Amino acid sequence: MEKNQQLDLFSPTLVSSSVVQQEPVLLMDEKTLKKWKSKIAIYQQRVRTKEPVKQNTLFSVTQSHVDPDVIDPFTLPVSPLSFYRLPTETAGQSCLYFIVDHQNDLLLYVGETCKSNQRWRGVHDCKRYIEKYLDLHYRYQLKTAVNISFWWDAPTKTRSRQQLELALIQKWKSPFNKENWRQWGQPFG
């Protein structure tokens, strides 16, 4: 077989004309972003001001400190998102944490950990969502005040802490938690 008779897997014209085109990155426009945030803020403020349902019992039961209705993420002390970069001698302790945009009265994320000083040091999807959220606000010159707050009274037992976390995610419908993507979409995922 001669050199020029070798079979090609792709014809030269097919190769040169089929340059891989990337899908365009779609950004939420400013009006849609404001509408998205407004719907979430209205829902969360309704939850915040609504009186929790009290179930009557035949027996006297003391109110648990881990009742999701007694935790208001908007009133907890605020820490910067870079808290995990501060020097520390311990891995931290069990807690629930909340990512809140105080400028827009939005609870963005609810999480739990048994090592408060280590959870955010590595890879965390929420860090990416926050970055994209902040970038989009910067693009449209919209103000934000995204911080983290901790609730230190969380149960030390993992299962109990996770149950409380889920109850709070369901109560507040925080948009960065995957449990609520069906309701609010996943524009920053």
Side-chain angles (χ1 to χ4, degrees):
M1 186 178 242
E2 295 179 29
K3 281 187 178 180
N4 61 358
Q5 291 182 343
Q6 182 176 350
L7 297 175
D8 287 329
L9 201 51
F10 303 102
S11 74
T13 56
L14 180 63
V15 171
S16 63
S17 67
S18 65
V19 175
V20 177
Q21 294 192 0
Q22 292 182 347
E23 289 289 320
V25 176
L26 301 176
L27 289 178
M28 187 186 289
D29 63 31
E30 183 177 356
K31 182 180 174 183
T32 305
L33 175 62
K34 287 179 178 180
K35 187 176 176 180
W36 180 83
K37 291 188 325 184
S38 176
K39 285 170 36 178
I40 297 166
I42 289 168
Y43 172 83
Q44 290 180 345
Q45 291 311 308
R46 241 186 253 138
V47 166
R48 196 167 179 214
T49 58
K50 184 176 82 172
E51 195 64 34
V53 176
K54 301 287 185 202
Q55 183 172 347
N56 294 328
T57 65
L58 294 174
F59 307 101
S60 176
V61 180
T62 57
Q63 184 85 359
S64 169
H65 80 283
V66 294
D67 179 355
D69 290 327
V70 301
I71 302 169
D72 183 350
F74 294 94
T75 62
L76 296 172
V78 174
S79 296
L81 287 175
S82 60
F83 76 93
Y84 63 93
R85 293 186 180 131
L86 298 172
T88 182
E89 294 179 15
T90 69
Q93 63 191 62
S94 298
C95 71
L96 291 171
Y97 57 92
F98 305 90
I99 305 299
V100 179
D101 183 347
H102 291 280
Q103 177 69 41
N104 297 289
D105 289 326
L106 289 174
L107 172 60
L108 299 171
Y109 186 81
V110 177
E112 66 82 23
T113 183
C114 63
K115 296 180 180 180
S116 56
N117 291 332
Q118 289 185 345
R119 177 67 181 107
W120 280 67
R121 288 190 193 277
V123 175
H124 195 306
D125 286 341
C126 187
K127 284 166 51 175
R128 240 186 23 253
Y129 307 153
I130 294 166
E131 183 181 330
K132 290 178 181 181
Y133 177 84
L134 293 173
D135 285 348
L136 199 56
H137 281 75
Y138 181 77
R139 172 184 290 268
Y140 300 130
Q141 298 177 355
L142 300 172
K143 292 182 178 179
T144 61
V146 179
N147 296 293
I148 192 167
S149 296
F150 298 94
W151 190 69
W152 299 107
D153 231 4
T156 54
K157 292 186 177 171
T158 302
R159 186 74 185 125
S160 299
R161 199 173 52 253
Q162 289 172 340
Q163 287 172 335
L164 181 57
E165 173 198 31
L166 182 58
L168 288 162
I169 290 168
Q170 291 169 338
K171 174 184 176 177
W172 293 99
K173 304 262 188 258
S174 42
F176 289 0
N177 289 98
K178 66 179 179 251
E179 293 86 349
N180 299 314
W181 290 349
R182 181 172 281 176
Q183 179 159 357
W184 305 121
Q186 192 185 359
F188 303 101

